[in-house]
Amino acid sequence: MPKRFYITTPLYYVNDEPHIGHAYTTILADVLARYHKLFGAEVRFLTGVDEHGQKILQAASAAGLKPQAHCDEMAKRYKSIWTQLSIDYDVFFRTTHSQHKSFVQAVLTNLYAKGEIYSAEYAGWYCTPDERFWMEKDLDHDNCPLCGRVVEHLTEKNYFFKMSAYQQWLIDWIYTHDDFVQPLFRRNEVLGFLRQPLADLCISRPKERLSWGIPLPFDESYVTYVWFDALLNYLSATRIHPDAGFTPEFWPADLHLIGKDILTTHTVYWPIMLHAAGFEPPRTIFAHGWWLSDKGKMSKSQGAVVRPLDIAAKYSADAFRYVLMREMTPGQDTNFSEEMFIQRYNSDLANDLGNLYSRLAKLWEKFNCSSHPIDDQISSCYAIDTELASIFEMIFEKIKIDINAELKPNSAIENIMIFIRGLNKQLEIWAPWKTGGQNISALGTSLAWAFRSLDLAATLLKPVMPSKMQELQNAIGMKDGIPHPQPGLNLFPRIDLKNVKMESHSRVKEVSIDEFSRFDLRIAEIIGADYVEGAAKLLKLQIDLGGEKRQIVAGIAQSYAPTELIGKRIVVIANLKPTTLRGVLSQGMLLAAGDGQRRYIIQPDGDAPAGSKVK
Ligand code: MSP
């Protein structure tokens, strides 16, 4: 019986359309699912959308729609985008599916009956956008530690799931299941988190505050916390989607792919929920890193999103899939820019892969190989010393390890590309354009061999680029080991960087000298420094601008103590509109560099006099 393989993506919130981050997880899942099919497994691939909760309600009201209508609309958008990116899922899961609601309620009823859920008065700091209560100690300068926004103090009765009771069980589970959390450093992170006492999980929201959710079966005046509802999708799908070939035997899932932002919900809440309800935890939860732009994590709030369809429309969906898969080592963060995209596209797809086909097809046509017999036994100056079948076997085995054991499609791709580059090199060594005329049959045999190799490489790359590799195989037209190439196919036209209009996300906007000269940059000396009350990151500095005294507020308190700044010369923008920060007047801004960890003030060389202009 074929091995079962059940893979999932997170269910994305329908408060916005998917960006590159969502596309990445979904493409990664699709690529892995296709490889597992190629290896002979019986695969089920689930993706979908998370439709309940405050965020969705707010997005619906902003769009002027009823929440269900908004969800229907967004689900359609997601599906259409996934189709355009060749995502071949088995189930597109929606948490508003009526059977999912019943499933969640059945689990809740069961847990409540077993005493795993209790009600209690709860007082805490609530973050509305994240729908989370925080304890005072968790707050970050009085704000939500997750999103930095304002929190409000609330006291209310709620229902709690006894998560704390299973803390030791989970620790033991992680220790005895090496593959449960991957990569390894994330496993250590979770174990680190579990060194602190685990609190019980508030799983209800009063309906008067939030009505858009699944009602608690034992108290209709509450709805279920959106994560408790959404996580259960992975399991409920195996029960409610026989239409997609699911049976309960597909549980436990083999692989939940997630981004590192949702590690705790998946590796702590979820296994405990399952265990308490009498189900096995999933086999592996793999957290990949983030796609970053020069502004940090790519997300809409950062204003630097890459819209997957924009790139796909410009360069093809398959090229987009290829570059995302090739560039990111799952687990690590990776920067996205259109320059990076084009470089990878040109080097791998246009030069190595596309060009190989064009060269082979041209030679085939030029020497009219079709009209000469292809003789595999032939020995000639073009003879190949290695058996194709064994090379293929070797690469196939390597790829299996890359995909199954290491979860590294980037290495799988690289292994195939090494083969492609090897073929290009072989062609250089044969140099049939120099000697081709001498023995056409031998040349034809060698070219046929190269076409067969390319055809096999296309099979191996098909999970990454399903349409383009099909197109390539159609063009090669392999029949019983004999190619029938179509001339003129340009699979991946080379992109000339000079002719490309870059999207704004990928290039820092250029400024003219005139624009730059509007900034009045000056040297100043710090003559006084102190903390700003209630703002842990801010310092208030008194500065001397060559006779003129000013006060500026700077976000450097975590990198410098006030005393070490006195006497330092700095660079300030002197003509910045004055503003008030935390009630303190700021008449300018200092320049500092930052690496995300700390700030470094910019200082002039030597004794550049205070007040002098920086040009
Ligand atoms: N609805 C929850 C998940 C519930 S699963 C039962 C959620 N949704 S989300 O819309 O915010 O999607 C989060 C996921 O999107 C991340 O875990 C990751 O898979 C993907 N990404 C979002 N931004 C990302 C990047 N910048 N880079 C890579 N992936 C990131 O959380």
Side-chain angles (χ1 to χ4, degrees), residues 122-127 130 132-149 151 193 196-200 269:
Y122 186 80
W125 295 93
Y126 190 72
C127 172
D130 286 328
R132 275 184 76 159
F133 270 106
W134 298 101
M135 292 200 266
E136 182 107 29
K137 70 171 177 50
D138 297 324
L139 298 181
D140 179 14
H141 306 115
D142 300 343
N143 291 329
C144 170
L146 211 60
C147 69
R149 279 175 278 208
V151 286
F193 174 81
Q196 305 293 325
L198 194 59
D200 289 342
Y269 301 6

Side-chain angles (χ1 to χ4, degrees), residues 9-16 19-26 49-51 55 78 95 226-227 229-234 257-263 265-266 288-292 296-299 328:
T9 74
L11 296 194
Y12 307 109
Y13 288 125
V14 288
N15 56 345
D16 208 349
H19 60 66
I20 187 175
H22 308 119
Y24 172 74
T25 320
T26 315
V49 282
D50 189 349
E51 303 181 286
K55 275 193 226 277
Y78 263 87
T95 53
V226 64
W227 272 100
D229 149 8
L231 283 163
L232 277 166
N233 91 88
Y234 302 130
L257 287 178
I258 58 166
K260 64 179 180 181
D261 46 331
I262 50 178
L263 187 68
T265 46
H266 278 80
H288 63 71
W290 283 344
W291 283 97
L292 307 173
K297 183 189 178 209
M298 236 181 260
S299 67
M328 185 176 264

Side-chain angles (χ1 to χ4, degrees), residues 384-401:
I384 293 108
D385 54 5
T386 335
E387 264 292 306
L388 179 57
S390 69
I391 301 178
F392 180 76
E393 204 45 51
M394 197 179 73
I395 301 175
F396 197 65
E397 286 312 309
K398 266 194 188 164
I399 291 175
K400 268 193 187 160
I401 295 170

